[in-house]
Amino acid sequence: MNRGNLKRSNYQKRVADGSMRSNEDMDSTSDLKNSNDNHRNSIRPVSFTTPESEGPVPRCTDWESEVETDEMRSSVRCDMQRYRRRILAAEFGPRERNNSSGSSDSRDSPVPGEVMEEDEEVLMRRQKQITYGKNTLAYDRYIKEVPKHLRQPGVHPKTPNKFKKYSRRSWDQQIKLWKVKIHAWDPPAQEGSELQAIDEVDLDDVMDIELDFPELDPDSSAQTPKVSKASSSQADSYQGTPSKMMKIDTSVDLEMS
Amino acid sequence: MENAKEDYKIQSFDLETQKLLKMALKEPNTVDLEKVSNVIVDQSLKDQVFSKEAGRICYTIVQAEAKHNNGNVFRRNLLNRLQLEFVAREETRLRSLQEWVCFVTFICNVFDYLKVNNMPMVALVHPVFDCLLRLAQPDSLNNEEEVDCLVLQLHRIGDQLEKMNGQKMDELFYLLRDGFLLQEGLSSMARLLLLEILEFRAGGWMLSDTAQKYYYSEVTD
């Protein structure tokens, strides 16, 4: 039998049992249509869980967000494996020594047999916070200016270690302090609107931790900070992040020395 | 890059657009990637030849953008467009079978090429299955164009899809068996295509030599 010789026959819209099938029956994703805001020309991008929100957040329904979340999940898992190996190495290898004797450093290296944070949800939330912090012009400028081996503890911001066990409050505080430190590398005022966004973030952070931040542009201090202390866990800090695309860049975190 | 035309099948675009696509491949940060993704999606919905291979150029641009500045503007826009088209697929099918078939071909091709950590994008699995399940409905089986599209996709990505969700694949093949056996008025071409795909899957997503000979060689009477 040769495919090319087969003739196309007439077709009828009849199902095997003789009944007519309607199109509605077959749409297994009609609920997706309904949930997409009756407007067929837009998908309301339901943003994925913000790093700071604690309560239930609507599941993302747009494909890009799902993909990004999956990407983050697998990079977090990859990081976990690497970190576990580091713990084992610390157990069986010579003790890891850091350049400085500062306690802030030793807390970041894996300690032999330490219990690490393994809850994927926690790790992903922390990773998102880290990613937002790194996805800034300030951070870019910082890493260009100060190579890792020249970083001084206390002076130079150091990414919090997401695998260490911390309470939620402690972690969130570390992130805030870290981000505040990074702001020291904000680009100069001439760069316009993006700086405004960063300054808004500054004010939120300042409200929360009561630091004097002398680099604030005098104009921006006239803006009313949107965040009150009560809602610090839902800080709008991340809305102000400049418009670079999200980076999944966890490799930097694990280089401890 | 000299073979971009050939590799990515962009001959069907006008020269201006071909230049734009080549720039997107080489230096993604110099072009409007949202526009590039729209251009690619629009063409994929019209041009059957292009829709069969458009996933490849998409993948290359995604990689290039990620490498240059860790961006994902292109992928984000591509997936958004795909999702919009997916949501509207029933209307598209009613309006133009060709566009519907092009869409299915394109989304399956994207599924094939746009891997994340060497795995297919999980977000696309259900949508792709939904499209194929739609093609396996009786009214679609009556159109050779749609049956042809269905079996083409299963040939190309059936094994990957099954790995991602075996149950859905079983569900699809129940429909295909039913269609083959029970649907009256099915053209002989459609029945041939369905029989072949049933054997193909039964053989672990490949045809035995004898089956290959049966379906694909010319036989002189």
Side-chain angles (χ1 to χ4, degrees):
Chain A
M1 198 189 314
N2 184 327
R3 278 175 79 159
N5 286 339
L6 291 176
K7 291 207 177 75
R8 200 192 151 93
S9 51
N10 293 334
Y11 54 85
Q12 297 126 4
K13 288 187 183 194
R14 202 162 29 102
V15 178
D17 64 3
S19 63
M20 293 296 281
R21 278 260 215 127
S22 76
N23 283 342
E24 272 69 60
D25 295 346
M26 306 178 239
D27 192 341
S28 57
T29 56
S30 52
D31 50 339
L32 175 62
K33 276 190 194 171
N34 292 336
S35 72
N36 274 315
D37 263 344
N38 66 38
H39 197 315
R40 64 168 271 197
N41 287 327
S42 69
I43 302 168
R44 179 168 43 127
V46 179
S47 58
F48 60 134
T49 312
T50 61
E52 301 292 49
S53 69
E54 292 217 66
V57 174
R59 275 197 72 233
C60 58
T61 54
D62 75 288
W63 295 352
E64 173 60 28
S65 301
E66 278 187 54
V67 174
E68 282 173 13
T69 305
D70 281 344
E71 274 182 320
M72 179 175 292
R73 191 175 294 116
S74 39
S75 78
V76 161
R77 285 184 185 158
C78 196
D79 285 352
M80 272 177 79
Q81 286 185 320
R82 278 198 287 176
Y83 196 76
R84 278 194 194 107
R85 285 200 289 273
R86 292 187 60 125
I87 293 180
L88 287 175
E91 264 180 34
F92 297 110
R95 267 206 172 260
E96 281 194 30
R97 289 238 160 250
N98 294 303
N99 294 338
S100 84
S101 52
S103 61
S104 64
D105 255 11
S106 61
R107 82 165 182 224
D108 283 323
S109 304
V111 165
E114 83 172 81
V115 179
M116 67 183 255
E117 180 61 69
E118 305 214 347
D119 184 329
E120 224 167 64
E121 204 183 293
V122 171
L123 289 172
M124 282 184 60
R125 177 175 21 91
R126 291 181 177 182
Q127 183 54 57
K128 271 176 210 159
Q129 291 170 290
I130 292 170
T131 303
Y132 277 131
K134 289 187 174 181
N135 201 23
T136 58
L137 291 173
Y139 189 80
D140 258 4
R141 296 176 85 229
Y142 165 51
I143 57 178
K144 281 187 182 116
E145 193 180 298
V146 185
K148 271 237 169 86
H149 63 277
L150 293 179
R151 287 192 192 172
Q152 295 158 23
V155 174
H156 293 127
K158 188 177 183 108
T159 310
N161 179 348
K162 65 180 178 276
F163 292 114
K164 293 261 175 181
K165 281 284 192 185
Y166 298 115
S167 70
R168 179 70 189 265
R169 279 174 66 106
S170 165
W171 172 264
D172 286 351
Q173 192 77 332
Q174 286 180 57
I175 286 284
K176 285 200 173 94
L177 290 168
W178 173 64
K179 290 177 76 170
V180 164
K181 279 187 165 179
I182 291 172
H183 282 316
W185 278 266
D186 279 346
Q190 290 90 314
E191 298 198 18
S193 61
E194 282 181 295
L195 180 60
Q196 290 295 59
I198 294 172
D199 279 351
E200 268 188 61
V201 174
D202 290 349
L203 287 170
D204 294 347
D205 287 341
V206 166
M207 290 283 286
D208 280 333
I209 63 179
E210 291 164 2
L211 267 188
D212 245 0
F213 205 71
E215 282 182 43
L216 275 181
D217 182 339
D219 286 344
S220 68
S221 57
Q223 295 170 15
T224 320
K226 286 185 280 188
V227 134
S228 67
K229 287 216 163 177
S231 62
S232 61
S233 69
Q234 289 232 327
D236 290 333
S237 321
Y238 304 102
Q239 280 181 10
T241 308
S243 57
K244 276 175 64 179
M245 283 301 129
M246 186 171 102
K247 282 199 275 191
I248 318 281
D249 175 19
T250 58
S251 57
V252 186
D253 297 347
L254 292 185
E255 292 160 53
M256 296 300 175
S257 54
Chain B
M1 217 30 70
E2 299 320 304
N3 293 331
K5 241 182 164 167
E6 207 12 69
D7 289 343
Y8 301 112
K9 305 278 184 281
I10 60 176
Q11 303 91 320
S12 46
F13 290 96
D14 62 75
L15 286 172
E16 183 77 34
T17 314
Q18 284 190 38
K19 253 200 314 184
L20 174 68
L21 294 175
K22 286 183 192 167
M23 272 317 274
L25 291 164
K26 247 195 302 208
E27 280 170 60
N29 44 315
T30 62
V31 299
D32 179 351
L33 287 171
E34 199 178 309
K35 176 174 175 189
V36 171
S37 73
N38 283 330
V39 156
I40 291 176
V41 173
D42 291 338
Q43 186 69 11
S44 301
L45 296 175
K46 292 192 295 210
D47 179 347
Q48 274 192 301
V49 171
F50 184 64
S51 68
K52 286 182 182 162
E53 289 301 327
R56 196 158 159 213
I57 192 176
C58 289
Y59 180 67
T60 312
I61 298 177
V62 167
Q63 295 291 92
E65 193 193 346
K67 188 170 157 205
H68 267 82
N69 62 351
N70 248 303
N72 62 356
V73 170
F74 178 83
R75 187 181 72 188
R76 174 185 296 272
N77 203 59
L78 172 70
L79 290 177
N80 279 342
R81 280 293 309 271
L82 272 178
Q83 191 168 7
L84 281 170
E85 295 294 335
F86 174 74
V87 167
R89 67 195 180 282
E90 205 53 49
E91 289 117 271
T92 301
R93 181 177 179 275
L94 289 173
R95 183 179 64 243
S96 158
L97 264 187
Q98 212 223 0
E99 205 179 310
W100 155 240
V101 160
C102 280
F103 167 68
V104 178
T105 308
F106 181 48
I107 191 177
C108 290
N109 202 236
V110 167
F111 174 85
D112 198 4
Y113 276 102
L114 239 72
K115 299 272 174 32
V116 166
N117 294 321
N118 289 321
M119 290 276 293
M121 288 198 262
V122 174
L124 291 183
V125 174
H126 269 225
V128 165
F129 267 118
D130 283 347
C131 290
L132 299 183
L133 287 164
R134 181 61 183 89
L135 287 172
Q137 299 304 319
D139 60 346
S140 296
L141 292 180
N142 278 323
N143 298 330
E144 265 171 40
E145 211 177 335
E146 291 185 82
V147 181
D148 197 71
C149 176
L150 172 64
V151 303
L152 174 67
Q153 311 317 324
L154 286 172
H155 277 122
R156 288 172 145 205
I157 61 172
D159 56 344
Q160 294 180 59
L161 276 176
E162 188 173 53
K163 278 199 194 93
M164 301 297 285
N165 191 328
Q167 217 176 346
K168 279 267 171 182
M169 189 55 80
D170 289 340
E171 192 185 320
L172 176 64
F173 270 75
Y174 288 141
L175 288 177
L176 296 184
R177 288 190 194 94
D178 278 349
F180 175 79
L181 282 170
L182 306 171
Q183 187 154 331
E184 294 178 25
L186 213 55
S187 73
S188 23
M189 175 55 94
R191 280 184 272 127
L192 179 69
L193 295 175
L194 288 176
L195 186 63
E196 194 266 6
I197 201 69
L198 288 167
E199 274 201 64
F200 186 73
R201 187 206 182 194
W205 302 101
M206 54 186 206
L207 276 185
S208 68
D209 285 344
T210 45
Q212 178 84 17
K213 252 201 241 159
Y214 178 83
Y215 290 104
Y216 292 103
S217 343
E218 301 267 345
V219 177
T220 48
D221 280 326

